[in-house]
PDB file of all heavy atoms in Angstrom:
ATOM      1  N   SER A   1     -66.666  15.357 -55.087  1.00 98.00           N
ATOM      2  CA  SER A   1     -66.037  16.150 -54.041  1.00 98.00           C
ATOM      3  C   SER A   1     -64.586  15.745 -53.851  1.00 98.00           C
ATOM      4  O   SER A   1     -64.198  14.598 -54.114  1.00 98.00           O
ATOM      5  CB  SER A   1     -66.777  15.957 -52.709  1.00 98.00           C
ATOM      6  OG  SER A   1     -68.110  16.389 -52.795  1.00 98.00           O
ATOM      7  N   LEU A   2     -63.797  16.687 -53.379  1.00 98.00           N
ATOM      8  CA  LEU A   2     -62.424  16.456 -52.959  1.00 98.00           C
ATOM      9  C   LEU A   2     -62.143  17.339 -51.759  1.00 98.00           C
ATOM     10  O   LEU A   2     -62.737  18.418 -51.622  1.00 98.00           O
ATOM     11  CB  LEU A   2     -61.427  16.800 -54.071  1.00 98.00           C
ATOM     12  CG  LEU A   2     -61.249  15.836 -55.239  1.00 98.00           C
ATOM     13  CD1 LEU A   2     -60.329  16.459 -56.283  1.00 98.00           C
ATOM     14  CD2 LEU A   2     -60.700  14.500 -54.777  1.00 98.00           C
ATOM     15  N   ARG A   3     -61.231  16.898 -50.919  1.00 98.00           N
ATOM     16  CA  ARG A   3     -60.757  17.758 -49.843  1.00 98.00           C
ATOM     17  C   ARG A   3     -59.251  17.918 -49.968  1.00 98.00           C
ATOM     18  O   ARG A   3     -58.511  16.933 -49.880  1.00 98.00           O
ATOM     19  CB  ARG A   3     -61.093  17.194 -48.460  1.00 98.00           C
ATOM     20  CG  ARG A   3     -60.750  18.200 -47.351  1.00 98.00           C
ATOM     21  CD  ARG A   3     -61.171  17.746 -45.978  1.00 98.00           C
ATOM     22  NE  ARG A   3     -60.220  16.811 -45.390  1.00 98.00           N
ATOM     23  CZ  ARG A   3     -60.089  16.616 -44.091  1.00 98.00           C
ATOM     24  NH1 ARG A   3     -60.845  17.294 -43.239  1.00 98.00           N
ATOM     25  NH2 ARG A   3     -59.221  15.718 -43.631  1.00 98.00           N
ATOM     26  N   LEU A   4     -58.830  19.132 -50.167  1.00 98.00           N
ATOM     27  CA  LEU A   4     -57.412  19.444 -50.226  1.00 98.00           C
ATOM     28  C   LEU A   4     -56.898  19.768 -48.833  1.00 98.00           C
ATOM     29  O   LEU A   4     -57.609  20.367 -48.023  1.00 98.00           O
ATOM     30  CB  LEU A   4     -57.154  20.631 -51.152  1.00 98.00           C
ATOM     31  CG  LEU A   4     -57.672  20.523 -52.580  1.00 98.00           C
ATOM     32  CD1 LEU A   4     -57.242  21.749 -53.382  1.00 98.00           C
ATOM     33  CD2 LEU A   4     -57.214  19.249 -53.242  1.00 98.00           C
ATOM     34  N   SER A   5     -55.656  19.384 -48.580  1.00 98.00           N
ATOM     35  CA  SER A   5     -54.992  19.712 -47.329  1.00 98.00           C
ATOM     36  C   SER A   5     -53.708  20.457 -47.633  1.00 98.00           C
ATOM     37  O   SER A   5     -53.085  20.237 -48.673  1.00 98.00           O
ATOM     38  CB  SER A   5     -54.666  18.446 -46.533  1.00 98.00           C
ATOM     39  OG  SER A   5     -55.839  17.738 -46.200  1.00 98.00           O
ATOM     40  N   CYS A   6     -53.309  21.296 -46.709  1.00 98.00           N
ATOM     41  CA  CYS A   6     -52.055  22.030 -46.819  1.00 98.00           C
ATOM     42  C   CYS A   6     -51.384  21.957 -45.452  1.00 98.00           C
ATOM     43  O   CYS A   6     -51.838  22.595 -44.494  1.00 98.00           O
ATOM     44  CB  CYS A   6     -52.302  23.469 -47.230  1.00 98.00           C
ATOM     45  SG  CYS A   6     -50.826  24.516 -47.209  1.00 98.00           S
ATOM     46  N   ALA A   7     -50.324  21.161 -45.365  1.00 97.00           N
ATOM     47  CA  ALA A   7     -49.586  21.005 -44.117  1.00 97.00           C
ATOM     48  C   ALA A   7     -48.488  22.056 -44.046  1.00 97.00           C
ATOM     49  O   ALA A   7     -47.691  22.201 -44.984  1.00 97.00           O
ATOM     50  CB  ALA A   7     -48.996  19.613 -44.039  1.00 97.00           C
ATOM     51  N   ALA A   8     -48.441  22.770 -42.944  1.00 95.00           N
ATOM     52  CA  ALA A   8     -47.469  23.851 -42.777  1.00 95.00           C
ATOM     53  C   ALA A   8     -46.451  23.513 -41.705  1.00 95.00           C
ATOM     54  O   ALA A   8     -46.789  22.951 -40.665  1.00 95.00           O
ATOM     55  CB  ALA A   8     -48.191  25.140 -42.400  1.00 95.00           C
ATOM     56  N   SER A   9     -45.211  23.842 -41.972  1.00 91.00           N
ATOM     57  CA  SER A   9     -44.164  23.713 -40.966  1.00 91.00           C
ATOM     58  C   SER A   9     -44.109  25.005 -40.165  1.00 91.00           C
ATOM     59  O   SER A   9     -44.698  26.009 -40.543  1.00 91.00           O
ATOM     60  CB  SER A   9     -42.814  23.447 -41.624  1.00 91.00           C
ATOM     61  OG  SER A   9     -42.429  24.581 -42.381  1.00 91.00           O
ATOM     62  N   GLY A  10     -43.391  24.984 -39.083  1.00 76.00           N
ATOM     63  CA  GLY A  10     -43.255  26.213 -38.310  1.00 76.00           C
ATOM     64  C   GLY A  10     -44.133  26.206 -37.079  1.00 76.00           C
ATOM     65  O   GLY A  10     -45.192  25.598 -37.051  1.00 76.00           O
ATOM     66  N   ARG A  11     -43.674  26.919 -36.051  1.00 73.00           N
ATOM     67  CA  ARG A  11     -44.369  26.896 -34.775  1.00 73.00           C
ATOM     68  C   ARG A  11     -45.471  27.929 -34.655  1.00 73.00           C
ATOM     69  O   ARG A  11     -46.225  27.910 -33.695  1.00 73.00           O
ATOM     70  CB  ARG A  11     -43.360  27.125 -33.651  1.00 73.00           C
ATOM     71  CG  ARG A  11     -42.310  26.036 -33.534  1.00 73.00           C
ATOM     72  CD  ARG A  11     -41.287  26.404 -32.464  1.00 73.00           C
ATOM     73  NE  ARG A  11     -40.555  27.608 -32.837  1.00 73.00           N
ATOM     74  CZ  ARG A  11     -39.724  28.221 -32.022  1.00 73.00           C
ATOM     75  NH1 ARG A  11     -39.562  27.808 -30.786  1.00 73.00           N
ATOM     76  NH2 ARG A  11     -39.066  29.294 -32.433  1.00 73.00           N
ATOM     77  N   THR A  12     -45.550  28.843 -35.639  1.00 85.00           N
ATOM     78  CA  THR A  12     -46.500  29.941 -35.504  1.00 85.00           C
ATOM     79  C   THR A  12     -47.601  29.875 -36.546  1.00 85.00           C
ATOM     80  O   THR A  12     -48.116  30.902 -36.968  1.00 85.00           O
ATOM     81  CB  THR A  12     -45.783  31.295 -35.600  1.00 85.00           C
ATOM     82  OG1 THR A  12     -45.092  31.366 -36.869  1.00 85.00           O
ATOM     83  CG2 THR A  12     -44.817  31.474 -34.462  1.00 85.00           C
ATOM     84  N   PHE A  13     -47.985  28.670 -36.936  1.00 90.00           N
ATOM     85  CA  PHE A  13     -49.046  28.509 -37.929  1.00 90.00           C
ATOM     86  C   PHE A  13     -50.290  29.266 -37.523  1.00 90.00           C
ATOM     87  O   PHE A  13     -50.991  29.838 -38.346  1.00 90.00           O
ATOM     88  CB  PHE A  13     -49.356  27.028 -38.121  1.00 90.00           C
ATOM     89  CG  PHE A  13     -50.530  26.775 -39.034  1.00 90.00           C
ATOM     90  CD1 PHE A  13     -50.386  26.871 -40.404  1.00 90.00           C
ATOM     91  CD2 PHE A  13     -51.772  26.427 -38.507  1.00 90.00           C
ATOM     92  CE1 PHE A  13     -51.460  26.635 -41.251  1.00 90.00           C
ATOM     93  CE2 PHE A  13     -52.849  26.188 -39.339  1.00 90.00           C
ATOM     94  CZ  PHE A  13     -52.694  26.291 -40.719  1.00 90.00           C
ATOM     95  N   SER A  14     -50.577  29.279 -36.230  1.00 90.00           N
ATOM     96  CA  SER A  14     -51.814  29.901 -35.766  1.00 90.00           C
ATOM     97  C   SER A  14     -51.860  31.399 -36.060  1.00 90.00           C
ATOM     98  O   SER A  14     -52.929  31.999 -36.048  1.00 90.00           O
ATOM     99  CB  SER A  14     -52.015  29.659 -34.271  1.00 90.00           C
ATOM    100  OG  SER A  14     -50.940  30.210 -33.538  1.00 90.00           O
ATOM    101  N   SER A  15     -50.719  32.014 -36.318  1.00 91.00           N
ATOM    102  CA  SER A  15     -50.692  33.449 -36.616  1.00 91.00           C
ATOM    103  C   SER A  15     -50.763  33.746 -38.110  1.00 91.00           C
ATOM    104  O   SER A  15     -50.771  34.909 -38.520  1.00 91.00           O
ATOM    105  CB  SER A  15     -49.426  34.094 -36.051  1.00 91.00           C
ATOM    106  OG  SER A  15     -48.283  33.676 -36.784  1.00 91.00           O
ATOM    107  N   TYR A  16     -50.829  32.699 -38.931  1.00 94.00           N
ATOM    108  CA  TYR A  16     -50.827  32.904 -40.374  1.00 94.00           C
ATOM    109  C   TYR A  16     -52.228  33.127 -40.912  1.00 94.00           C
ATOM    110  O   TYR A  16     -53.145  32.367 -40.597  1.00 94.00           O
ATOM    111  CB  TYR A  16     -50.255  31.688 -41.103  1.00 94.00           C
ATOM    112  CG  TYR A  16     -48.850  31.307 -40.756  1.00 94.00           C
ATOM    113  CD1 TYR A  16     -48.422  30.005 -40.952  1.00 94.00           C
ATOM    114  CD2 TYR A  16     -47.948  32.221 -40.234  1.00 94.00           C
ATOM    115  CE1 TYR A  16     -47.131  29.615 -40.639  1.00 94.00           C
ATOM    116  CE2 TYR A  16     -46.657  31.848 -39.916  1.00 94.00           C
ATOM    117  CZ  TYR A  16     -46.249  30.554 -40.125  1.00 94.00           C
ATOM    118  OH  TYR A  16     -44.982  30.180 -39.814  1.00 94.00           O
ATOM    119  N   ALA A  17     -52.389  34.132 -41.749  1.00 96.00           N
ATOM    120  CA  ALA A  17     -53.550  34.191 -42.620  1.00 96.00           C
ATOM    121  C   ALA A  17     -53.255  33.253 -43.790  1.00 96.00           C
ATOM    122  O   ALA A  17     -52.115  33.198 -44.265  1.00 96.00           O
ATOM    123  CB  ALA A  17     -53.775  35.612 -43.120  1.00 96.00           C
ATOM    124  N   MET A  18     -54.258  32.507 -44.217  1.00 97.00           N
ATOM    125  CA  MET A  18     -54.042  31.470 -45.222  1.00 97.00           C
ATOM    126  C   MET A  18     -54.959  31.672 -46.420  1.00 97.00           C
ATOM    127  O   MET A  18     -56.055  32.241 -46.295  1.00 97.00           O
ATOM    128  CB  MET A  18     -54.308  30.091 -44.630  1.00 97.00           C
ATOM    129  CG  MET A  18     -53.475  29.749 -43.413  1.00 97.00           C
ATOM    130  SD  MET A  18     -51.716  29.597 -43.758  1.00 97.00           S
ATOM    131  CE  MET A  18     -51.706  28.172 -44.858  1.00 97.00           C
ATOM    132  N   GLY A  19     -54.513  31.161 -47.544  1.00 98.00           N
ATOM    133  CA  GLY A  19     -55.327  31.285 -48.737  1.00 98.00           C
ATOM    134  C   GLY A  19     -55.160  30.101 -49.670  1.00 98.00           C
ATOM    135  O   GLY A  19     -54.183  29.351 -49.572  1.00 98.00           O
ATOM    136  N   TRP A  20     -56.130  29.926 -50.525  1.00 98.00           N
ATOM    137  CA  TRP A  20     -56.067  28.960 -51.634  1.00 98.00           C
ATOM    138  C   TRP A  20     -56.208  29.739 -52.944  1.00 98.00           C
ATOM    139  O   TRP A  20     -57.090  30.611 -53.070  1.00 98.00           O
ATOM    140  CB  TRP A  20     -57.182  27.929 -51.546  1.00 98.00           C
ATOM    141  CG  TRP A  20     -57.019  26.902 -50.484  1.00 98.00           C
ATOM    142  CD1 TRP A  20     -57.624  26.860 -49.257  1.00 98.00           C
ATOM    143  CD2 TRP A  20     -56.197  25.733 -50.552  1.00 98.00           C
ATOM    144  NE1 TRP A  20     -57.221  25.762 -48.568  1.00 98.00           N
ATOM    145  CE2 TRP A  20     -56.349  25.026 -49.334  1.00 98.00           C
ATOM    146  CE3 TRP A  20     -55.341  25.190 -51.528  1.00 98.00           C
ATOM    147  CZ2 TRP A  20     -55.684  23.843 -49.061  1.00 98.00           C
ATOM    148  CZ3 TRP A  20     -54.688  24.008 -51.250  1.00 98.00           C
ATOM    149  CH2 TRP A  20     -54.861  23.348 -50.036  1.00 98.00           C
ATOM    150  N   PHE A  21     -55.351  29.408 -53.874  1.00 98.00           N
ATOM    151  CA  PHE A  21     -55.403  29.975 -55.221  1.00 98.00           C
ATOM    152  C   PHE A  21     -55.353  28.816 -56.212  1.00 98.00           C
ATOM    153  O   PHE A  21     -55.010  27.688 -55.839  1.00 98.00           O
ATOM    154  CB  PHE A  21     -54.218  30.916 -55.460  1.00 98.00           C
ATOM    155  CG  PHE A  21     -54.296  32.190 -54.658  1.00 98.00           C
ATOM    156  CD1 PHE A  21     -53.989  32.190 -53.302  1.00 98.00           C
ATOM    157  CD2 PHE A  21     -54.673  33.379 -55.248  1.00 98.00           C
ATOM    158  CE1 PHE A  21     -54.068  33.361 -52.548  1.00 98.00           C
ATOM    159  CE2 PHE A  21     -54.749  34.559 -54.509  1.00 98.00           C
ATOM    160  CZ  PHE A  21     -54.444  34.534 -53.163  1.00 98.00           C
ATOM    161  N   ARG A  22     -55.692  29.090 -57.452  1.00 98.00           N
ATOM    162  CA  ARG A  22     -55.607  28.044 -58.475  1.00 98.00           C
ATOM    163  C   ARG A  22     -55.177  28.657 -59.808  1.00 98.00           C
ATOM    164  O   ARG A  22     -55.364  29.846 -60.056  1.00 98.00           O
ATOM    165  CB  ARG A  22     -56.939  27.315 -58.623  1.00 98.00           C
ATOM    166  CG  ARG A  22     -58.071  28.164 -59.184  1.00 98.00           C
ATOM    167  CD  ARG A  22     -59.383  27.375 -59.136  1.00 98.00           C
ATOM    168  NE  ARG A  22     -60.500  28.145 -59.709  1.00 98.00           N
ATOM    169  CZ  ARG A  22     -61.764  27.745 -59.674  1.00 98.00           C
ATOM    170  NH1 ARG A  22     -62.092  26.587 -59.088  1.00 98.00           N
ATOM    171  NH2 ARG A  22     -62.707  28.489 -60.221  1.00 98.00           N
ATOM    172  N   GLN A  23     -54.590  27.796 -60.619  1.00 98.00           N
ATOM    173  CA  GLN A  23     -54.159  28.224 -61.935  1.00 98.00           C
ATOM    174  C   GLN A  23     -54.457  27.131 -62.945  1.00 98.00           C
ATOM    175  O   GLN A  23     -53.936  26.012 -62.823  1.00 98.00           O
ATOM    176  CB  GLN A  23     -52.673  28.575 -61.959  1.00 98.00           C
ATOM    177  CG  GLN A  23     -52.224  29.192 -63.270  1.00 98.00           C
ATOM    178  CD  GLN A  23     -50.841  29.812 -63.171  1.00 98.00           C
ATOM    179  OE1 GLN A  23     -50.051  29.477 -62.281  1.00 98.00           O
ATOM    180  NE2 GLN A  23     -50.534  30.727 -64.078  1.00 98.00           N
ATOM    181  N   ALA A  24     -55.294  27.460 -63.901  1.00 97.00           N
ATOM    182  CA  ALA A  24     -55.626  26.537 -64.982  1.00 97.00           C
ATOM    183  C   ALA A  24     -54.656  26.761 -66.137  1.00 97.00           C
ATOM    184  O   ALA A  24     -54.068  27.846 -66.267  1.00 97.00           O
ATOM    185  CB  ALA A  24     -57.060  26.763 -65.434  1.00 97.00           C
ATOM    186  N   PRO A  25     -54.477  25.757 -66.994  1.00 92.00           N
ATOM    187  CA  PRO A  25     -53.561  25.902 -68.129  1.00 92.00           C
ATOM    188  C   PRO A  25     -53.923  27.109 -68.984  1.00 92.00           C
ATOM    189  O   PRO A  25     -55.084  27.295 -69.355  1.00 92.00           O
ATOM    190  CB  PRO A  25     -53.749  24.593 -68.896  1.00 92.00           C
ATOM    191  CG  PRO A  25     -54.204  23.622 -67.872  1.00 92.00           C
ATOM    192  CD  PRO A  25     -55.060  24.403 -66.924  1.00 92.00           C
ATOM    193  N   GLY A  26     -52.919  27.927 -69.278  1.00 95.00           N
ATOM    194  CA  GLY A  26     -53.132  29.082 -70.130  1.00 95.00           C
ATOM    195  C   GLY A  26     -53.821  30.254 -69.468  1.00 95.00           C
ATOM    196  O   GLY A  26     -54.121  31.255 -70.123  1.00 95.00           O
ATOM    197  N   LYS A  27     -54.069  30.133 -68.173  1.00 97.00           N
ATOM    198  CA  LYS A  27     -54.760  31.216 -67.455  1.00 97.00           C
ATOM    199  C   LYS A  27     -53.892  31.717 -66.315  1.00 97.00           C
ATOM    200  O   LYS A  27     -52.969  31.045 -65.862  1.00 97.00           O
ATOM    201  CB  LYS A  27     -56.104  30.734 -66.918  1.00 97.00           C
ATOM    202  CG  LYS A  27     -57.104  30.356 -68.001  1.00 97.00           C
ATOM    203  CD  LYS A  27     -58.452  30.049 -67.396  1.00 97.00           C
ATOM    204  CE  LYS A  27     -59.480  29.739 -68.479  1.00 97.00           C
ATOM    205  NZ  LYS A  27     -60.822  29.445 -67.893  1.00 97.00           N
ATOM    206  N   GLU A  28     -54.242  32.911 -65.849  1.00 97.00           N
ATOM    207  CA  GLU A  28     -53.512  33.469 -64.717  1.00 97.00           C
ATOM    208  C   GLU A  28     -54.002  32.823 -63.416  1.00 97.00           C
ATOM    209  O   GLU A  28     -55.116  32.310 -63.326  1.00 97.00           O
ATOM    210  CB  GLU A  28     -53.713  34.983 -64.658  1.00 97.00           C
ATOM    211  CG  GLU A  28     -53.085  35.727 -65.832  1.00 97.00           C
ATOM    212  CD  GLU A  28     -53.124  37.224 -65.646  1.00 97.00           C
ATOM    213  OE1 GLU A  28     -53.784  37.693 -64.701  1.00 97.00           O
ATOM    214  OE2 GLU A  28     -52.502  37.927 -66.459  1.00 97.00           O
ATOM    215  N   ARG A  29     -53.146  32.910 -62.414  1.00 97.00           N
ATOM    216  CA  ARG A  29     -53.536  32.427 -61.097  1.00 97.00           C
ATOM    217  C   ARG A  29     -54.705  33.255 -60.575  1.00 97.00           C
ATOM    218  O   ARG A  29     -54.747  34.468 -60.747  1.00 97.00           O
ATOM    219  CB  ARG A  29     -52.347  32.556 -60.144  1.00 97.00           C
ATOM    220  CG  ARG A  29     -52.586  32.050 -58.740  1.00 97.00           C
ATOM    221  CD  ARG A  29     -51.358  32.276 -57.890  1.00 97.00           C
ATOM    222  NE  ARG A  29     -51.067  33.695 -57.752  1.00 97.00           N
ATOM    223  CZ  ARG A  29     -49.911  34.183 -57.297  1.00 97.00           C
ATOM    224  NH1 ARG A  29     -48.944  33.362 -56.976  1.00 97.00           N
ATOM    225  NH2 ARG A  29     -49.741  35.489 -57.180  1.00 97.00           N
ATOM    226  N   GLU A  30     -55.669  32.567 -59.938  1.00 98.00           N
ATOM    227  CA  GLU A  30     -56.817  33.276 -59.410  1.00 98.00           C
ATOM    228  C   GLU A  30     -57.094  32.888 -57.967  1.00 98.00           C
ATOM    229  O   GLU A  30     -56.799  31.778 -57.534  1.00 98.00           O
ATOM    230  CB  GLU A  30     -58.064  33.010 -60.269  1.00 98.00           C
ATOM    231  CG  GLU A  30     -58.552  31.591 -60.254  1.00 98.00           C
ATOM    232  CD  GLU A  30     -59.871  31.410 -61.005  1.00 98.00           C
ATOM    233  OE1 GLU A  30     -60.433  32.402 -61.503  1.00 98.00           O
ATOM    234  OE2 GLU A  30     -60.346  30.261 -61.077  1.00 98.00           O
ATOM    235  N   PHE A  31     -57.669  33.822 -57.269  1.00 98.00           N
ATOM    236  CA  PHE A  31     -58.050  33.621 -55.871  1.00 98.00           C
ATOM    237  C   PHE A  31     -59.209  32.630 -55.774  1.00 98.00           C
ATOM    238  O   PHE A  31     -60.131  32.655 -56.588  1.00 98.00           O
ATOM    239  CB  PHE A  31     -58.452  34.972 -55.283  1.00 98.00           C
ATOM    240  CG  PHE A  31     -59.161  34.881 -53.964  1.00 98.00           C
ATOM    241  CD1 PHE A  31     -58.457  34.560 -52.809  1.00 98.00           C
ATOM    242  CD2 PHE A  31     -60.515  35.107 -53.873  1.00 98.00           C
ATOM    243  CE1 PHE A  31     -59.103  34.475 -51.592  1.00 98.00           C
ATOM    244  CE2 PHE A  31     -61.174  35.032 -52.659  1.00 98.00           C
ATOM    245  CZ  PHE A  31     -60.467  34.711 -51.523  1.00 98.00           C
ATOM    246  N   VAL A  32     -59.148  31.767 -54.769  1.00 98.00           N
ATOM    247  CA  VAL A  32     -60.231  30.819 -54.513  1.00 98.00           C
ATOM    248  C   VAL A  32     -60.889  31.092 -53.161  1.00 98.00           C
ATOM    249  O   VAL A  32     -62.099  31.290 -53.076  1.00 98.00           O
ATOM    250  CB  VAL A  32     -59.710  29.371 -54.557  1.00 98.00           C
ATOM    251  CG1 VAL A  32     -60.819  28.393 -54.180  1.00 98.00           C
ATOM    252  CG2 VAL A  32     -59.134  29.046 -55.927  1.00 98.00           C
ATOM    253  N   ALA A  33     -60.082  31.096 -52.098  1.00 98.00           N
ATOM    254  CA  ALA A  33     -60.630  31.281 -50.756  1.00 98.00           C
ATOM    255  C   ALA A  33     -59.532  31.749 -49.823  1.00 98.00           C
ATOM    256  O   ALA A  33     -58.345  31.491 -50.067  1.00 98.00           O
ATOM    257  CB  ALA A  33     -61.241  29.986 -50.234  1.00 98.00           C
ATOM    258  N   ALA A  34     -59.924  32.439 -48.755  1.00 98.00           N
ATOM    259  CA  ALA A  34     -58.947  32.940 -47.794  1.00 98.00           C
ATOM    260  C   ALA A  34     -59.534  32.919 -46.391  1.00 98.00           C
ATOM    261  O   ALA A  34     -60.761  33.009 -46.215  1.00 98.00           O
ATOM    262  CB  ALA A  34     -58.506  34.350 -48.169  1.00 98.00           C
TER     263      ALA A  34
END
Protein backbone atom coordinates (compact mmCIF):
# COMPACT_ATOMS: atom_id res chain seq x y z
CA SER A 1 0.00 0.00 0.00
CA LEU A 2 0.88 3.65 -0.47
CA ARG A 3 -0.91 6.87 0.30
CA LEU A 4 -0.37 9.77 -2.03
CA SER A 5 -0.97 13.34 -0.91
CA CYS A 6 -1.54 16.47 -2.95
CA ALA A 7 -1.08 19.76 -1.11
CA ALA A 8 -2.84 22.71 -2.71
CA SER A 9 -2.16 26.39 -2.30
CA GLY A 10 -4.93 28.94 -2.44
CA ARG A 11 -7.78 29.93 -0.19
CA THR A 12 -10.56 28.27 -2.16
CA PHE A 13 -9.44 24.64 -2.13
CA SER A 14 -12.85 23.65 -0.83
CA SER A 15 -14.43 24.76 -4.13
CA TYR A 16 -12.13 22.63 -6.28
CA ALA A 17 -13.13 19.41 -7.92
CA MET A 18 -10.05 17.20 -7.71
CA GLY A 19 -8.66 14.29 -9.62
CA TRP A 20 -5.82 11.79 -9.81
CA PHE A 21 -4.36 10.69 -13.13
CA ARG A 22 -1.37 8.52 -13.98
CA GLN A 23 0.98 8.00 -16.86
CA ALA A 24 3.11 4.92 -17.38
CA PRO A 25 6.17 4.94 -19.67
CA GLY A 26 5.14 4.82 -23.30
CA LYS A 27 1.46 5.18 -22.48
CA GLU A 28 -1.01 8.01 -22.49
CA ARG A 29 -2.18 9.67 -19.31
CA GLU A 30 -5.18 7.91 -17.83
CA PHE A 31 -7.85 8.74 -15.31
CA VAL A 32 -7.57 7.12 -11.88
CA ALA A 33 -10.05 8.79 -9.52
CA ALA A 34 -12.02 12.00 -9.10
